[in-house]
Amino acid sequence: MKFTLSWLHEHLDTNASLDAIVEALTRVGLEVEGVENPGEKLAAFKVAKVLSAERHPQADKLQVLSVDAGDGPMQVVCGAPNARAGLVGVFGAPGAYVPGSDITLKVAEIRGVVSNGMMCSTRELELGDDHDGIIELPADAPVGTPYPDYAGLNDPVIDVSVTPNKQDCMGVRGIARDLAAAGLGTLKPLKVDAVTGAGEGPQAGTDDPDGCPAFFGQSVSGVTNGAAPAWMQARLKAIGQKPISALVDITNYVMIDLGRPLHVYDRATLTGKLVARKARDGEQVLALNGKTYTLDATMTVIADDAQVHDIGGIMGGEHSGASDTTTEVLIECAYFDPDHIARTGQKLGLTSDARQRFERGVDPAFLDDGIAIAARLITEICGGTASQVTRAGTPPVEARSIAYDPARAETLGGLAVAPERQKAILESLGFTVSPDWQVGVPSWRRDVEGYPDLVEEVIRIEGIDTVPSTPLARLPGVAKPTATPEQKLERRVRRAAAARGLDEAVTWSFLSEAEAAPFGGGTWSLANPISEDLKVMRPTLLAGLLSAAARNLKRGQQSVRLFEVGRRYLADAERPTLGVILAGNARPRGWRGGPITKGAAGFDAFDAKAEALALLTTAGAPVDNLQVFGEAGDAWHPGQSGTLRLGPKTVLAAFGMVHPIVLKAFDLDGAVAGVELYLDAIPPKRATGFMRPAYAPPALQAVTRDFAFFVPADLAADALVRAVKGADKAAITTARLFDVFTGAGVEDGKKSLAVEITLQPNAKSFTDEELKAVADKVVAAAAKLGASLRG
């Protein structure tokens, strides 16, 4: 929402400085996004008079001017067709920056004649699109005066961010009301001078009481649609609105000034009665933005007997808009239901200044005053005779009141405010307060529904920065732990991942559809996302981490090791997850890694498995009991990925190399390893209190034995290790694979796997007979898998 300082003064009687106004706006909840003074960039330009104009000796289309800008005659070469002696215009001296041309003026020689600066056009000063000639000012314009001072351009433009609940501040008057309540002045009374109508009002009505409860109309005949007054054009231009014509500019001005959208129809284009009704499926309308929209039966339109003219409350149609030849208009001032407006705008993907106001909720009690103000401006600027007003439907203006206790400002808002002060604040905002504290809500505050909203109004005007910082009372003794087991688990794995050299990333919980597609798409999508890149709730953490890895690699990072703890959003629930991505170089190139021509080593599936096992160990998972299963899914590289499970169904982690198709979707080159730990699948530890049992090392030394087996080539090494470890659970504490061999001496279809087992004696050392018995059990257990002991 933009407005100028002088525009604000039309509604607010104040002596406050610009800085004080800006500070107060932010303080009351209207955050100032920027302040710009358009006159500052034109400060070097002055009003100047052309004393003489002679033809350039070397160019027929150029003239040599003698220009006086208050400092005596200066020679200027000019090519404007309207340059002549006696003309008063705008002059830029050497050193002035011309914003429209992006040049800094300097003394130059043009076709052999020295030129000191230039006479400027409106386009060169970014004051309009006219470039056919230089600016012509009235003959009595004071020569030597800075042009911004003469043209009134030193009028700061304030840009505020209006939150959705502040529909009353979508007009300059509403903002002025808030500033007056904040003590920066007095709100001026609004002048509403209705035009006395002659003759019957236009045929207008509403057949859609849900979408358009009230439709007011008034016609004005005999109008002349020329340019809007200079003061109105200047205000609209200052806030970025392009002046079009008097009739259109009047409706835009009233909308921004008072927050009341209006529309003006050319009555010559209408056939029969103009009504608000539901659209028919498949109806189309060519809107003012030049696009054709197909409508459905849920949308409210304004139509006559022949066709649709307006997408109700959002955008008018091109066919019936006011033009230079318009002589009779119909002013529409209607109330549209905010929910209907929002749904229609979302379906059509269409936004407008009118939609922004109607879907927030305009003042339903301002229809009569709104149409009266518009009719007065039209008759004063464009002439004509107004009809009586046609009023169809009933705007929702039921009185609302809220029982309020002033003590709630302190109990709920944290700030003690005297009841008299609260009453003054509420009344300055338009509320009424009875002696028993029944607070009447003004019609323009649709957002106020209960006493918490009244507390909010009091606190924001009094100043949220004045709310004291009061620490919560601390209970005596040692503080009790408040973290849940789930939070503790996340904390442990986060610290473990960081300790292993991984960098934590925090990525968006939303993805684009293209990013979610390689992972099977997302279950949950937003119907109205703020961006198509943030539409789908992520089904995996890998997508965000892959995007982050791609950005880092493209910026020269040689090794990327990222992790994130967050949520996956699946059909049944949110799933806490830890994701890891390993990309780039696992180790830098060096003499220990072999010939230098081989370069640096990349990550592989075993790196991912090592990270998964280490993090699962920290999380308290029974790592020794885990089983390795095959491919982890379509997003993973087949043959280079797997899952870690407790039994065949409980999947604790997926690990391995990411599928090349997925990498291509994220514009990644080379191999990338990844891990996903499913934290909610890890079985919780049994409650054993806060004290750990004392560590008691075994009294006797452990014994190790190695076994090498010929096994089928397709046998998983993990299966052999688990079989060997389970051969004698009392004696064998650990078993691990330490060698894999194929080649000379190994039959085709076979491979050699070597396993080291650790045996831990308890009461006494093992005898040779006991060790042989254990070895026999190991060989027997391996034989069940088709393994035979190497000779």
Side-chain angles (χ1 to χ4, degrees):
M1 174 70 191
K2 291 184 177 181
F3 57 93
T4 65
L5 184 60
S6 64
W7 199 340
L8 178 67
H9 285 160
E10 289 290 320
H11 296 280
L12 183 68
D13 186 3
T14 181
N15 294 321
S17 66
L18 175 62
D19 290 342
I21 290 173
V22 169
E23 187 276 332
L25 284 169
T26 300
R27 176 162 46 86
V28 300
L30 298 170
E31 182 179 358
V32 176
E33 296 190 334
V35 179
E36 180 183 0
N37 188 344
E40 289 180 352
K41 62 183 179 182
L42 303 179
F45 296 87
K46 294 182 178 181
V47 176
K49 184 175 183 178
V50 179
L51 302 177
S52 65
E54 303 292 339
R55 189 176 69 84
H56 193 290
Q58 302 297 328
D60 293 338
K61 293 185 178 181
L62 297 178
Q63 296 187 78
V64 181
L65 309 181
S66 177
V67 176
D68 180 16
D71 299 319
M74 299 186 72
Q75 182 173 280
V76 176
V77 176
C78 181
N82 63 331
R84 63 187 183 276
L87 180 144
V88 179
V90 180
F91 171 71
Y97 174 73
V98 184
S101 303
D102 192 24
I103 60 173
T104 299
L105 298 176
K106 60 183 178 179
V107 177
E109 189 173 293
I110 302 176
R111 296 286 187 93
V113 177
V114 175
S115 180
N116 301 281
M118 69 182 296
M119 298 293 289
C120 303
S121 69
T122 56
R123 183 190 297 180
E124 288 162 339
L125 299 185
E126 293 187 337
L127 299 175
D129 296 327
D130 183 15
H131 196 56
D132 295 333
I134 57 178
I135 296 172
E136 294 192 38
L137 301 178
D140 59 352
V143 173
T145 302
Y147 180 63
D149 293 344
Y150 170 78
L153 297 177
N154 286 319
D155 190 6
V157 178
I158 305 170
D159 185 7
V160 299
S161 175
V162 182
T163 53
N165 66 314
K166 288 292 292 174
Q167 68 277 349
D168 58 309
C169 288
M170 291 301 288
V172 180
R173 184 166 182 82
I175 294 172
R177 182 187 296 111
D178 270 14
L179 288 173
L184 262 71
T186 304
L187 185 68
K188 296 180 180 180
L190 181 63
K191 182 180 179 182
V192 180
D193 188 8
V195 178
T196 302
E200 293 185 0
Q203 289 185 307
T206 176
D207 294 336
D208 180 16
D210 293 329
C212 180
F215 187 111
F216 288 14
Q218 187 173 18
S219 60
V220 182
S221 57
V223 300
T224 302
N225 188 22
W231 64 268
M232 183 178 289
Q233 291 192 49
R235 286 182 179 172
L236 293 175
K237 286 179 182 178
I239 63 172
Q241 292 274 350
K242 181 180 179 181
I244 298 173
S245 67
L247 290 171
V248 176
D249 293 350
I250 287 169
T251 60
N252 287 336
Y253 181 81
V254 173
M255 175 180 64
I256 297 165
D257 187 49
L258 303 171
R260 160 38 71 180
L262 303 158
H263 191 63
V264 171
Y265 298 89
D266 186 338
R267 289 202 71 179
T269 65
L270 303 180
T271 303
K273 185 178 181 180
L274 191 69
V275 298
R277 63 167 172 83
K278 286 285 189 248
R280 302 182 184 96
D281 287 333
E283 275 190 313
Q284 292 187 326
V285 60
L286 176 62
L288 287 172
N289 62 0
K291 297 181 180 180
T292 299
Y293 294 91
T294 301
L295 312 174
D296 64 41
T298 66
M299 302 174 182
T300 301
V301 297
I302 308 298
D304 60 11
D305 295 344
Q307 66 184 84
V308 174
H309 290 286
D310 188 349
I311 305 172
I314 299 180
M315 188 170 288
E318 192 171 273
H319 171 71
S320 58
S323 66
D324 294 341
T325 60
T326 298
T327 59
E328 186 174 4
V329 296
L330 189 154
I331 309 169
E332 168 223 307
C333 184
Y335 179 83
F336 295 94
D337 177 70
D339 295 339
H340 281 73
I341 292 292
R343 286 193 291 267
T344 299
Q346 290 169 6
K347 285 185 178 180
L348 298 178
L350 178 59
T351 187
S352 66
D353 290 333
R355 175 191 166 183
Q356 290 179 6
R357 287 161 174 81
F358 276 123
E359 72 179 350
R360 293 168 186 247
V362 301
D363 184 1
F366 199 71
L367 272 69
D368 272 313
D369 289 348
I371 203 168
I373 292 170
R376 173 59 65 186
L377 286 171
I378 289 174
T379 55
E380 288 180 351
I381 296 171
C382 303
T385 304
S387 72
Q388 295 180 8
V389 177
T390 298
R391 298 174 178 83
T394 303
V397 290
E398 295 81 5
R400 293 179 295 141
S401 65
I402 299 170
Y404 181 63
D405 180 359
R408 293 189 182 275
E410 182 175 12
T411 58
L412 184 60
L415 183 65
V417 182
E420 297 78 12
R421 172 60 180 157
Q422 294 191 51
K423 182 174 184 292
I425 290 174
L426 293 173
E427 289 179 340
S428 66
L429 291 171
F431 296 85
T432 60
V433 182
S434 67
D436 61 348
W437 285 96
Q438 289 291 325
V439 178
V441 181
S443 57
W444 58 82
R445 293 304 302 270
R446 172 174 172 260
D447 60 299
V448 177
E449 298 178 343
Y451 73 84
D453 299 314
L454 299 178
V455 171
E456 178 186 355
E457 294 301 300
V458 170
I459 299 301
R460 74 179 181 90
I461 297 298
E462 189 69 8
I464 195 168
D465 55 324
T466 62
V467 176
S469 297
T470 305
L472 296 175
R474 184 178 179 88
L475 297 176
V478 178
K480 296 181 180 179
T482 58
T484 65
E486 293 79 10
Q487 291 171 328
K488 292 178 180 178
L489 174 61
E490 291 186 10
R491 185 184 302 166
R492 285 201 305 274
V493 295
R494 178 180 282 111
R495 290 177 175 175
R500 292 186 60 80
L502 302 175
D503 297 312
E504 184 171 13
V506 180
T507 65
W508 295 108
S509 297
F510 293 90
L511 311 171
S512 66
E513 291 181 330
E515 290 174 326
F519 301 94
T523 304
W524 308 101
S525 297
L526 297 179
N528 185 34
I530 60 174
S531 168
E532 287 298 316
D533 291 336
L534 299 171
K535 184 175 183 178
V536 181
M537 299 190 78
R538 63 185 179 194
T540 174
L541 269 63
L542 296 183
L545 291 173
L546 288 171
S547 295
R551 286 193 296 272
N552 281 274
L553 291 172
K554 289 175 182 177
R555 286 161 176 78
Q557 188 68 27
Q558 297 298 313
S559 180
V560 176
R561 306 164 185 248
L562 299 176
F563 81 94
E564 180 176 11
V565 178
R567 298 289 188 272
R568 294 176 299 133
Y569 300 93
L570 307 182
D572 56 344
E574 298 179 17
R575 298 294 183 184
T577 306
L578 182 143
V580 175
I581 284 294
L582 307 172
N585 300 333
R587 292 166 293 280
R589 63 180 185 172
W591 61 272
R592 296 183 63 190
I596 195 169
T597 54
K598 290 184 178 180
F603 293 99
D604 58 27
F606 295 105
D607 293 315
K609 182 181 180 183
E611 297 295 339
L613 290 172
L615 294 172
L616 285 171
T617 300
T618 302
V623 175
D624 293 340
N625 298 330
L626 295 181
Q627 298 174 258
V628 179
F629 280 70
E631 284 77 14
D634 294 339
W636 301 89
H637 198 304
Q640 299 183 39
S641 62
T643 57
L644 295 170
R645 308 190 185 196
L646 276 175
K649 294 184 179 181
T650 305
V651 181
L652 269 59
F655 69 91
M657 306 306 293
V658 181
H659 200 291
I661 294 177
V662 176
L663 298 181
K664 184 177 180 181
F666 289 88
D667 197 21
L668 277 163
D669 298 324
V672 175
V675 176
E676 271 200 329
L677 259 63
Y678 309 127
L679 302 179
D680 56 338
I682 299 174
K685 287 185 175 181
R686 295 177 181 176
T688 57
F690 290 104
M691 295 294 292
R692 292 181 180 179
Y695 175 65
L700 300 175
Q701 186 173 346
V703 179
T704 61
R705 290 290 184 270
D706 296 343
F707 296 85
F709 297 98
F710 289 122
V711 300
D714 60 352
L715 178 67
D718 178 73
L720 178 64
V721 171
R722 283 188 287 106
V724 167
K725 184 180 178 182
D728 190 332
K729 295 181 180 180
I732 301 175
T733 56
T734 60
R736 70 179 186 88
L737 181 75
F738 69 89
D739 184 57
V740 180
F741 177 73
T742 58
V746 180
E747 298 178 16
D748 291 340
K750 297 279 188 177
K751 61 183 176 182
S752 172
L753 299 180
V755 180
E756 176 192 78
I757 65 171
T758 300
L759 300 96
Q760 179 60 58
N762 294 318
K764 63 183 183 66
S765 298
F766 291 117
T767 64
D768 289 342
E769 291 76 11
E770 290 172 333
L771 290 175
K772 184 178 184 307
V774 173
D776 291 341
K777 291 180 182 178
V778 168
V779 173
K784 294 180 181 179
L785 300 176
S788 60
L789 192 67
R790 290 182 64 176

